[in-house]
Each structure stands twice: as structure tokens, then as C-alpha cells.
């Protein structure tokens, strides 16, 4: 690896790929060497539109992987995450994979195994982690100030914020709101709790808005959920209530709450309007409820004021991890636990019954043997 120059490729040239390209362009010592997209001519158009002088364009990502690259951003539709990720890792490239990690648990497992066998990093793109206030929440929960945390409520709700295109087709996205924005809500709670092991899930999902042409122009193609809710049980007598919405007749599904034996934490999302109310960006407020001198009180936790570009930070951290030879900033092994939960949510909703959740034994453990 050239320690002075980090060469990267981008696989997939949709909207999110443009954000990766913009971020890479701001980081000193990074060269976007190539872009690939399966749609003929789309990568070349992307290169021209984003002013990527000298960047090669391919219609087949496997040609991109033949180049001398340090890392690759995978920006394909959800259903096309697994193969280019596995192929990139096997080709010796570090991978920054956009969320959600995969469509199925087995696909996520394949990617983690490929990372371990290749010795290359697989990191998942959860930019809200780079908000200092998300780190503050993590520090509070892990500090023990709440006592034993026994119940968590997380999620969020857009009143009317349904995407279209690849997001609403199960064959491409795998799931709807649960995976698209629900993954952020789960990461907020589970990362603060150091990703406990899930045991069971009981869930329900609906798509009353997406399937109605009054509310969505692509109703005839809409076959994922626009609303979902789940009760998840974890080891250690912990229960999590998860809920998420792309569309509903309500302005909010409320706050994220951690209930502990010594104190409770209430976290309000940032922003207002139809597309707000979810955990894909900043924090609105943090309050701690506890007793003091025999009385009940509430402490307003001061927020960290900042102007950090969270998306750029996740890309920069990926580049820095390559340069420094350190592990994945947001390891695939960790997010695999979240994939197991989402897999359980979808199975439970389909079966209309509680289901068991199985997380591979090696998740978070030592690397597998080469072979």
C-alpha cells in the first residue's frame, strides 16, 4: 500500500455514491481511481458529472477490482450488496459498505466470513455514530449511571417520508422502513448497550400508505413495509421495543428511552417536518430522569454544539483506518447482530408469531482460520 496515497473505487453510481465521491474529494491524499455500475454508460456519466478527472469507468465491477486499490465503497442497491462486497474482499480491498448491511442474515454472514478470510476490513456506513451527541449517549449508558438497563424504546416516525425506486421493491431492497431508517434506530440503542445478544422477536409490519395511490405514485410497485413494530428480548433480561414509520397519521412516534434501575434517559430526535423524527442525523435533546435527595428530578444534558459533516466523517474514518492499519470503525461482525434482528422481524411478521433469533457464534469473536 502506498502510505502517501489511498486509491479507492466506487461500485454503484446512484445517489449515495455521489455523497461518497464528494467526501473522498475533500480528503487529502485520496484518489478515486475508478467507478463501476452494471447499467452500461452510467459509471462514465457519473465520472463526468462529478468532475472526476482521470477516474476510470467500468460497466463491470470485476474489472475495477483488477486495479491496484486500497479500498472500495459499495453503493449498490441492497440486494446487490453481497456479491461485490465478497468479491472486493477476496480481491484484497478494504470495504466501506452502505447500510443496511444486507437483505438476509445469510448474506451478511457471507460478507463477514469473506472479511475474516481475506484479512481485509469490512465497515458499515452508519454516519450518525460520528455525531458527538451519539457518543455522549453511549458514554452515559455505559457509565453505569442508569443502573441496570432493563427496557429500551427506540425507533422513529416520519409522518410522510416514503422513498421510491429501488427502496420500495422487495427484490431490490429486501425490506422497507425497518431496514432503511430502522437500522439507524437499532444502532443508536444497541451500540450504546454494546450490542447485546438477541433471543426472540415478535413483530408486525404494514404497508397501508405505500400501497395506496393516494399517498404514493408507485403504489403498484410498492411491496415492502412502510410501518413496523417489534418486541425484542435479549440476554440479561433486557427488552427493546422497536418501531419505525415511513408514513402514518401522526407527527411522531416519540423519543428513544432507556429505563434503568437508577435513572432513565430520554432522547429526542433532531428536526421537524415530514422527513424528520428518525435517527439518521443529529440529536435534538437529552434528558436524564433520576432521584436526588429523596425527590424526583430531571437533568437536562447539555448537547455538544458542532458543525461536523457526519457523512464525510464516516468516509474519512474509513480512509484513516486503511492508512493506520487498524480495524473496521463499525465492524461487520457487530452489524450482523442487527441483521439477525431485522431477519427475525421479517420472519415474525410473516408468520404472525414470536420467533427465535440466532446470531452466529463467531460474531464479535476471534477470526476464523484461513481456508
Amino acid at each position: 500500500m502506498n502510505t502517501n496515497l489511498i486509491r479507492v473505487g466506487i461500485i454503484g453510481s446512484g445517489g449515495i455514491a455521489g455523497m461518497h465521491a464528494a467526501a473522498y474529494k475533500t480528503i487529502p491524499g485520496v484518489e478515486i481511481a475508478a467507478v463501476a455500475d452494471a447499467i452500461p454508460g452510467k459509471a462514465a456519466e457519473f465520472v463526468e458529472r462529478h468532475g472526476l478527472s482521470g477516474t476510470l469507468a467500468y460497466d463491470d465491477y470485476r474489472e475495477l477490482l483488477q486495479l491496484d486499490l486500497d479500498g472500495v465503497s459499495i453503493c449498490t442497491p441492497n440486494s446487490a450488496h453481497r456479491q461485490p462486497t465478497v468479491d472486493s474482499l477476496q480481491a484484497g480491498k478494504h470495504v466501506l459498505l452502505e447500510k443496511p448491511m444486507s437483505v438476509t442474515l445469510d448474506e451478511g454472514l457471507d460478507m463477514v466470513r469473506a472479511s475474516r478470510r481475506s484479512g481485509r476490513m469490512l465497515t458499515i456506513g452508519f454516519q450518525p455514530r460520528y455525531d458527538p451527541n451519539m457518543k455522549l449517549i453511549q458514554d452515559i449508558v455505559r457509565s453505569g449511571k442508569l443502573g441496570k438497563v432493563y427496557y429500551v424504546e427506540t425507533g422513529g416516525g416520519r409522518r410522510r417520508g416514503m422513498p421510491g425506486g429501488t427502496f420500495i421493491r422487495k427484490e431490490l431492497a429486501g425490506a422497507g422502513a425497518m431496514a432503511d431508517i430502522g437500522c439507524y434506530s437499532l444502532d443508536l440503542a444497541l451500540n450504546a448497550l454494546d450490542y447485546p445478544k438477541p433471543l426472540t422477536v415478535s413483530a408486525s409490519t404494514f404497508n397501508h400508505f405505500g400501497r395506496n395511490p393516494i399517498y404514493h405514485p408507485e403504489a403498484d410497485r410498492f411491496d415492502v413495509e412502510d410501518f413496523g413494530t417489534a418486541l425484542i428480548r435479549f440476554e440479561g433480561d433486557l427488552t427493546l421495543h422497536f418501531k419505525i414509520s415511513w408514513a402514518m397519521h401522526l407527527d411522531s412516534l416519540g423519543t428513544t428511552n432507556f429505563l434503568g434501575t437508577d435513572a432513565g434517559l430520554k432522547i429526542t430526535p433532531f428536526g421537524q417536518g415530514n422527513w424528520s423524527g428518525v435517527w439518521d442525523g443529529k440529536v435534538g435533546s437529552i434528558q436524564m430522569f433520576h432521584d436526588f435527595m429523596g425527590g424526583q428530578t430531571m437533568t437536562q444534558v447539555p448537547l455538544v454544539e458542532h458543525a461536523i459533516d457526519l457523512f464525510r466523517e464516516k468516509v474519512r474514518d474509513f480512509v484513516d483506518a486503511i492508512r493506520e492499519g487498524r480495524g473496521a470503525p463499525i465492524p461487520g461482525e457487530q452489524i450482523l447482530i442487527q441483521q439477525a434482528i431485522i431477519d427475525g422481524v421479517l420472519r415474525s411478521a410473516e408468520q404472525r408469531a414470536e420467533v427465535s433469533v440466532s446470531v452466529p457464534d463467531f460474531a464479535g469473536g476471534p477470526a476464523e482460520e484461513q481456508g
Side-chain angles (χ1 to χ4, degrees):
M1 182 188 73
N2 185 335
T3 57
N4 297 316
L5 178 68
I6 299 296
R7 285 168 50 86
V8 299
I10 300 175
I11 298 176
S13 61
I16 201 71
M19 297 179 70
H20 280 255
Y24 281 128
K25 288 170 70 174
T26 69
I27 303 171
V30 173
E31 175 189 346
I32 303 174
V35 177
D37 196 289
I39 299 175
K42 190 176 178 184
E45 188 276 332
F46 180 92
V47 166
E48 181 178 358
R49 175 160 40 92
H50 289 276
L52 301 178
S53 178
T55 299
L56 301 174
Y58 297 102
D59 296 334
D60 187 335
Y61 73 83
R62 288 169 293 190
E63 294 183 66
L64 176 149
L65 294 179
Q66 294 176 19
L67 301 176
D68 181 17
L69 303 176
D70 298 283
V72 175
S73 280
I74 306 292
C75 303
T76 54
N78 301 348
S79 63
H81 278 186
R82 177 197 170 277
Q83 197 61 54
T85 296
V86 169
D87 289 346
S88 296
L89 292 164
Q90 290 178 342
K93 324 302 184 189
H94 297 291
V95 171
L96 169 56
L97 173 63
E98 265 303 325
K99 64 81 194 169
M101 182 179 182
S102 60
V103 168
T104 69
L105 178 59
D106 285 344
E107 288 178 352
L109 185 56
D110 286 346
M111 291 187 280
V112 169
R113 284 174 171 159
S115 173
R116 288 170 168 244
R117 288 169 177 162
S118 68
R120 292 298 182 264
M121 173 203 333
L122 170 62
T123 189
I124 315 300
F126 283 87
Q127 63 269 11
R129 286 233 197 148
Y130 295 92
D131 182 349
N133 294 297
M134 289 289 188
K135 296 178 182 180
L136 177 58
I137 292 165
Q138 173 185 301
D139 290 345
I140 293 171
V141 173
R142 294 187 184 183
S143 72
K145 294 184 184 298
L146 304 184
K148 172 180 169 52
V149 177
Y150 56 90
Y151 175 81
V152 179
E153 187 172 0
T154 193
R158 295 173 179 167
R159 178 169 181 171
R160 206 64 48 78
M162 293 182 286
T166 61
F167 287 88
I168 63 169
R169 297 172 60 191
K170 190 172 183 179
E171 64 175 325
L172 297 176
M178 282 283 185
D180 175 41
I181 52 177
C183 64
Y184 289 128
S185 304
L186 285 174
D187 191 61
L188 162 60
L190 298 179
N191 185 50
L193 295 164
D194 200 18
Y195 267 87
K197 183 179 179 180
L199 301 174
T200 64
V201 173
S202 182
S204 296
T205 60
F206 309 90
N207 60 4
H208 296 307
F209 287 81
R211 294 289 297 168
N212 189 332
I214 295 175
Y215 300 112
H216 202 289
E218 299 177 77
D220 59 335
R221 303 171 65 203
F222 199 110
D223 61 358
V224 295
E225 79 284 351
D226 57 40
F227 180 90
T229 182
L231 192 71
I232 307 157
R233 291 183 173 85
F234 294 83
E235 282 188 343
D237 198 23
L238 169 69
T239 298
L240 185 147
H241 182 196
F242 172 44
K243 51 192 177 179
I244 202 71
S245 166
W246 271 345
M248 59 182 176
H249 287 307
L250 202 67
D251 63 338
S252 171
L253 284 176
T255 55
T256 284
N257 306 307
F258 293 82
L259 294 185
T261 54
D262 296 336
L265 204 62
K266 178 180 178 180
I267 309 152
T268 304
F270 178 84
Q272 294 181 334
N274 278 344
W275 287 75
S276 66
V278 293
W279 297 106
D280 55 356
K282 299 178 180 179
V283 173
S285 67
I286 305 172
Q287 297 171 309
M288 180 181 289
F289 292 80
H290 55 105
D291 290 358
F292 180 73
M293 299 295 287
Q296 300 171 15
T297 189
M298 185 274 288
T299 299
Q300 189 77 38
V301 180
L303 293 179
V304 179
E305 297 295 331
H306 71 89
I308 296 172
D309 182 335
L310 303 180
F311 199 96
R312 180 187 182 277
E313 280 301 293
K314 81 171 180 185
V315 176
R316 181 200 56 77
D317 203 17
F318 173 59
V319 171
D320 287 350
I322 295 174
R323 277 205 174 103
E324 298 163 12
R326 55 181 167 88
I330 303 176
E333 290 90 340
Q334 192 179 63
I335 306 304
L336 193 64
I337 297 173
Q338 184 186 124
Q339 287 300 135
I341 292 172
I342 294 175
D343 175 79
V345 166
L346 298 176
R347 286 188 292 115
S348 174
E350 183 177 1
Q351 297 175 24
R352 301 189 177 186
E354 185 175 62
V355 300
S356 296
V357 175
S358 177
V359 180
D361 290 339
F362 72 78
E368 293 181 320
E369 293 293 326
Q370 299 289 320

